[in-house]
Amino acid sequence: MKQYLSCLVVVGLSLLLAVPPVSACTSIRIKTTDGKVFYARTMEYAQQLHSGVITIPKDTPMAGILPDGSLGGLKWKSTHGVVGMDAFGKPIVCDGMNDAGLVVGGLLFPGYAGYPSYNKSKAAHTISNFDVVKYILSRFATVAEVRSGMKDVIVCQGPESLDGVTVGPVPMHYTVHDASGASIVIEYQNGQCHIYDNPLGVLTNSPDFPWMRIYLGNFVNLSAVNAKPIDVSGFKVDPTGQGSGMLGLPGDFTPPNRFLRMVALTQAAKPVTGADAGLALVMTIIGNVDIPYGAVRDNGPQGPLFDYTQWTVAADTARGRFYFRTYNDKNWRYVDVKESLAKAGAGITTLPIDIPADYPDVTAQAKAVK
């Protein structure tokens, strides 16, 4: 991640070249019976991101990042205020919500992402893949607007070095939800932009979204209802306990099986009514993909890399609240989006999230970005 938006991770290039980065981000969306929409997402990465809550007011000038690292791409002003998560102390956005209740998250998409080649003559219409989350949140209010508006912008691969920070070619795809519950997935492959309807509201990493939907066909037997006893040659075989209808649901942390697990749980959970119940449900479900430090690792020349859940966010689009918790502090805190934008004035602010348990007021404590 660099100065100006990103959505997932920025890691040292030497680390990227030494070993493929491990990342296991997961996102979900649920709707209550009275039409309220809630979103949650985990952020996993092997390098500490030092994320904070970033607030970007309406009318903030922005510019697309080009492959050479310059801000010579598309120029625009934010028509919506944005609250989200940054990384490495840079004014970027990994994941967030705007003042219209639109929510966008960027998740790693290794081995499948393929952006259009950069064309210098079209620089004025170009942003990098690091810019996509912030561009969407600052420009659009609904999924329909995103679907139409993304046709007017060219997205290229971001630079390997930006503003003194070395970054690798981080491949990403994007999940987008609005306050009505409409959801899409945006993926760039072979130089083409693909936008898929996502009624399931779930996204993880690779393979691509169409493959993930096909993968669900291997588990059509799963059910929230407990299995019945069976008779085997006169011998009664009873289920061993509760949850037998979900027998065979994978519990590992691979992207396809996290995708499956989140689809199963979001679809099986009993529908709820009201903002408090919706928030409790989305927070409960997303906790099923938390990764303990050490449970997922990769070996590199400098030793093992541990992928773990650094932070989790939840968005309450009904009340305009952006919640967060960290690996070291499981207490949920939130920023009121409208209040935070009002206090930010005309400048971008950021709030550290690695904070003591008795932290008093996350909105009032936001500090100006230098």
Side-chain angles (χ1 to χ4, degrees):
M1 307 190 161
K2 320 91 339 229
Q3 184 176 21
Y4 273 103
L5 162 83
S6 174
C7 71
L8 265 194
V9 298
V10 170
V11 299
L13 183 58
S14 60
L15 180 61
L16 284 169
L17 295 177
V19 63
V22 282
S23 181
C25 301
T26 303
S27 66
I28 61 173
R29 178 234 60 203
I30 68 164
K31 295 184 286 186
T32 64
T33 58
D34 52 342
K36 294 178 173 61
V37 176
F38 298 86
Y39 164 86
R41 178 263 177 82
T42 64
M43 168 62 87
E44 287 82 15
Y45 207 66
Q47 183 181 5
Q48 180 54 248
L49 297 175
H50 301 294
S51 294
V53 177
I54 187 170
T55 300
I56 304 174
K58 181 180 177 180
D59 295 324
T60 299
M62 302 182 191
I65 303 168
L66 297 180
D68 63 1
S70 69
L71 297 176
L74 177 70
K75 304 293 190 297
W76 78 96
K77 276 191 175 182
S78 57
T79 53
H80 293 279
V82 177
V83 171
M85 299 298 288
D86 69 7
F88 295 104
K90 301 292 183 181
I92 59 173
V93 181
C94 303
D95 194 284
M97 178 169 64
N98 70 16
D99 54 20
L102 187 72
V103 182
V104 185
L107 293 82
L108 201 67
F109 191 39
Y112 288 82
Y115 305 96
S117 298
Y118 172 62
N119 185 334
K120 187 175 181 180
S121 67
K122 298 180 179 180
H125 302 282
T126 299
I127 62 175
S128 78
N129 61 326
F130 299 127
D131 293 314
V132 172
V133 174
K134 186 164 67 176
Y135 180 77
I136 293 175
L137 286 172
S138 65
R139 287 289 310 277
F140 308 119
T142 66
V143 161
E145 289 183 10
V146 175
R147 188 189 295 274
S148 175
M150 288 305 289
K151 298 176 183 177
D152 300 326
V153 62
I154 302 169
V155 177
C156 69
Q157 176 64 60
E160 293 189 357
S161 180
L162 180 66
D163 195 34
V165 177
T166 302
V167 297
V170 182
M172 292 176 283
H173 59 176
Y174 311 93
T175 184
V176 184
H177 315 276
D178 66 25
S180 76
S183 301
I184 56 174
V185 171
I186 302 175
E187 295 181 338
Y188 289 86
Q189 292 184 275
N190 301 315
Q192 300 295 317
C193 177
H194 302 279
I195 299 179
Y196 305 103
D197 287 320
N198 184 13
L200 300 170
V202 177
L203 187 66
T204 58
N205 311 110
S206 303
D208 55 33
F209 188 64
W211 187 98
M212 292 288 192
R213 291 182 297 186
I214 294 171
Y215 180 66
L216 295 177
N218 293 306
F219 300 91
V220 293
N221 59 298
L222 296 179
S223 171
V225 180
N226 287 336
K228 296 182 180 299
I230 62 172
D231 184 278
V232 180
S233 299
F235 178 74
K236 183 183 178 183
V237 180
D238 292 297
T240 56
Q242 294 296 317
S244 57
M246 288 287 184
L247 191 64
L249 180 67
D252 62 76
F253 296 113
T254 59
N257 287 338
R258 281 183 286 108
F259 182 84
L260 169 66
R261 194 151 71 251
M262 290 295 95
V263 170
L265 295 180
T266 54
Q267 297 300 310
K270 187 178 182 297
V272 297
T273 304
D276 289 339
L279 184 64
L281 179 58
V282 81
M283 288 176 171
T284 299
I285 293 175
I286 199 65
N288 283 269
V289 288
D290 272 4
I291 300 179
Y293 189 85
V296 175
R297 65 186 74 183
D298 209 342
N299 292 319
Q302 299 177 350
L305 299 173
F306 298 99
D307 198 16
Y308 69 102
T309 304
Q310 296 191 21
W311 48 258
T312 305
V313 298
D316 177 344
T317 68
R319 293 178 290 196
R321 295 176 178 177
F322 187 74
Y323 289 79
F324 64 91
R325 70 179 185 183
T326 68
Y327 187 86
N328 294 318
D329 186 354
K330 297 304 181 184
N331 294 306
W332 286 98
R333 294 175 171 79
Y334 75 87
V335 172
D336 183 285
V337 173
K338 290 184 178 179
E339 182 181 353
S340 183
L341 289 168
K343 290 184 176 182
I348 297 175
T349 62
T350 185
L351 167 72
I353 62 173
D354 292 323
I355 50 182
D358 60 351
Y359 199 77
D361 181 351
V362 297
T363 301
Q365 297 294 327
K367 65 177 183 179
V369 175
K370 295 182 179 179

